[in-house]
Amino acid sequence: MKVDGVAWRSIAEDGPQAVRIVDQTRLPFAFATLRLEGCDEVAHAIGSMQVRGAPLIGVAAAYGLALAMRRDGGDAALAAAHAALLATRPTAVNLRWALGRLRALLQPLPPAERAEAAWREAGRIAEEDVAINRALGGHGAELIAAANARTGRPVQVLTHCNAGWIATVDYGTALSAVYQAHDAGVPVHVWVDETRPRNQGLLTAWELAAHGVPHTLIADNAGGHLMQRGAVDLVLVGADRVSRGGDVCNKIGTYLKALAAFDNGVPFYAAVPSPTIDWELRDALREIPIEERAADEVRVITGRDGDGRPAQVALAGAGTPVANPAFDVTPARLITGIVTERGVAQPAELVRLFAPPLVAAGGAGR
Amino acid sequence: MKVDGVAWRSIAEDGPQAVRIVDQTRLPFAFATLRLEGCDEVAHAIGSMQVRGAPLIGVAAAYGLALAMRRDGGDAALAAAHAALLATRPTAVNLRWALGRLRALLQPLPPAERAEAAWREAGRIAEEDVAINRALGGHGAELIAAANARTGRPVQVLTHCNAGWIATVDYGTALSAVYQAHDAGVPVHVWVDETRPRNQGLLTAWELAAHGVPHTLIADNAGGHLMQRGAVDLVLVGADRVSRGGDVCNKIGTYLKALAAFDNGVPFYAAVPSPTIDWELRDALREIPIEERAADEVRVITGRDGDGRPAQVALAGAGTPVANPAFDVTPARLITGIVTERGVAQPAELVRLFAPPLVAAGGAGR
């Protein structure tokens, strides 16, 4: 999508030996890119959330593995790079999916051929991500257009976290639908959850402002009240991992918004590219590891000081005990539909839509 | 309650011409008091949330009216002070209740006698607040003790906002129960919602730390996840206004926690001193005015810089549109019980517990 009129992707090849990413820890205050030349740099970028968003970290990890192969295409290096990248974030399944796909491709190849094959495959995963999210957003945009046709008013969408173009290679997932509706002339306004503790809502507000989509930033606490007052037509979020049955693991706090939507008869949709679906996953609440992140993400906050420079302030002292689970699970019973590249499905219909192969442990592509 | 071993109240008479308050805008970073000598100063302290919490702002407003009477006991001055104080915050009913009680007392009196009568009555309201919240907390502590007796484990309480001693004259409402349980030797741990945008959870964490109660600060988004995982035994919050039928208006985001509690079978209690009950209120969702506060409460955040000095950073630019509703309404159907000074009642039983007089517009004590 565009920033100041220039088209960007969140990750792009920068010659044959490096990738260039948008450094998301500096947004929304500064738009800056970083050149990553090795697997370690990519792993650090994922762990520190310089790149974030389930689809994007899958693509970034694939490039990280390819960069590792450029230095050493041997079996040990492949195993080490796979393990290091997989350990960066435990919750999103795209990371495991992309790394599994590369490993399955590379293992049968002679070490000398792996670097080039990995690089090409990472590029394919990136292009597929763009195509999937463009298609998915088209289906989501139809939901927004239908709401507008029904009410005759601008459609009020509430979103949580950032499921925008910077969480993917381009377009985004939930926001792909918003962008495509907006670009098609459907009047749409987005309520943007701040999304504590990391405030990814500020990334969403930045994206929407850059693209010219009307929006309003709110505290995470406000969404239920807005739904009670009829101010939300639909909730649209992304996902980090989705079970066979359509349980949605997404940024912490998503479940609370799904409860409020259900209680107020507001449709709740998750926008889910198929690599985010974990077909092996049956009981999302029990089986998904929920990342516990650092206490200082809650205690310390980054903004801009009076001179516009990045600055941090402590909200609580180092002695204040903190818990910081990064994700929660929204049960399928609260979800109106899953928006995928193949159309919108009820949670229970996902399996029919994609007809995944029967699960075998360690199967190809995992 | 105690701070560094010294007993404090959040508001106290400072000679016959002034009150002294704890300046809550400086907590938790600094514990400082302010001397307020006139009605205008009290009104400013309420509007700016130097004093906050439904019970406390009722008491503060009563003292404000008394201070106005010290300067001019005439009818016009009474009406003007009443109006100015009433306009400071629209949602909490205690403000209206305390001001109405004073006005009903003062109007029949000769102007020369009003100042002294008002001062004595404000003192009575303050003492009643202490007595009510001590009694209420005793009933709440029984709930916590019962949970401990049932499970044999430390009781996990989740609270939202600050319903502690600094939100009242002393003891608090929800936290009065926690303090009394803790002081009686019942093991209790409190999950403290940060409570964006004004982060009153940091006040709660400060109070609990000062009193030695185990607690953990969490983002507002985390509570649903914790309840799904069985990590919460009961939710206990305060209230700003409660309807006849037991609908609870409280800090924005309370409704989301009530939904999560209901969905997970976790008991949800509101601790409500009877002056917080608006017996005239039938349909809380329609009738309670929800205060919309300044956008900069969401855009700008105050903490401490690296040298420990108070500092502000901007999270979003002035161009980012913001909505900032300060309260929401939790319907009675989601509430297990209302903890009052007369015991714990189901929402529908409130009327029987207090047998309020039939509502007549402008009746005594309103």
Side-chain angles (χ1 to χ4, degrees), chain A residues 29 194 196 202 215-217 220-221 228-229 252-253 255 263-264 285 303-304 313-315 321-323 329 333, chain B residues 29 194 196 202 215-217 220-221 228-229 252-253 255 263-264 285 303-304 314-315 321-323 329 333:
Chain A
F29 304 118
E194 179 183 40
R196 286 284 290 151
L202 300 177
H215 61 283
T216 302
L217 180 68
D220 298 303
N221 286 319
Q228 283 180 316
R229 305 274 158 152
I252 190 82
Y255 166 55
D263 197 46
N264 291 284
L285 263 177
R304 256 198 293 208
V313 294
L315 303 178
V322 166
V329 173
R333 65 186 152 85
Chain B
F29 304 117
E194 178 183 41
R196 287 283 289 149
L202 300 178
H215 61 282
T216 303
L217 179 68
D220 299 302
N221 286 319
Q228 283 181 316
R229 306 274 159 152
I252 191 81
Y255 166 55
D263 197 47
N264 291 284
L285 263 176
R304 254 197 296 208
L315 303 178
V322 166
V329 173
R333 65 184 153 85

Side-chain angles (χ1 to χ4, degrees), chain A residues 10-26:
Chain A
S10 62
I11 191 167
E13 297 176 8
D14 191 12
Q17 308 274 356
V19 289
R20 186 167 287 278
I21 61 161
V22 175
D23 182 354
Q24 302 197 27
T25 60
R26 299 190 58 191

Side-chain angles (χ1 to χ4, degrees), chain B residues 21-72:
Chain B
I21 60 161
V22 176
D23 182 353
Q24 301 197 27
T25 59
R26 298 190 58 189
L27 287 172
F29 304 117
F31 183 75
T33 63
L34 276 177
R35 182 178 154 93
L36 308 179
E37 301 184 351
C39 179
D40 291 352
E41 286 172 52
V42 173
H44 175 264
I46 298 173
S48 67
M49 297 176 65
Q50 289 173 326
V51 290
R52 46 148 292 285
L56 176 56
I57 63 180
V59 174
Y63 276 114
L65 197 64
L67 290 171
M69 293 296 94
R70 288 251 191 262
R71 296 198 184 164
D72 177 354

Side-chain angles (χ1 to χ4, degrees), chain A residues 112-140:
Chain A
E113 295 177 16
R114 285 175 177 167
E116 201 47 40
W119 190 256
R120 280 197 310 270
E121 189 72 0
R124 264 193 293 271
I125 291 174
E127 292 304 326
E128 284 174 20
D129 183 73
V130 174
I132 284 172
N133 291 328
R134 188 167 40 210
L136 171 163
H139 297 300

Side-chain angles (χ1 to χ4, degrees), chain A residues 154-214:
Chain A
V155 180
Q156 305 291 326
V157 175
L158 185 142
T159 194
H160 190 69
C161 196
N162 172 265
W165 70 266
I166 57 171
T168 62
V169 177
D170 205 351
Y171 289 101
T173 56
L175 293 194
S176 179
V178 169
Y179 290 133
Q180 293 188 47
H182 175 83
D183 289 352
V186 178
V188 55
H189 165 270
V190 183
W191 296 106
V192 179
D193 275 2
E194 179 183 40
T195 318
R196 286 284 290 151
R198 285 191 66 106
N199 296 8
Q200 291 94 336
L202 300 177
L203 304 180
T204 297
W206 172 81
E207 274 197 27
L208 292 171
H211 198 80
V213 180

Side-chain angles (χ1 to χ4, degrees), chain B residues 318-334:
Chain B
T320 302
V322 166
N324 185 17
F327 302 93
D328 63 23
V329 173
T330 298
R333 65 184 153 85
L334 301 175

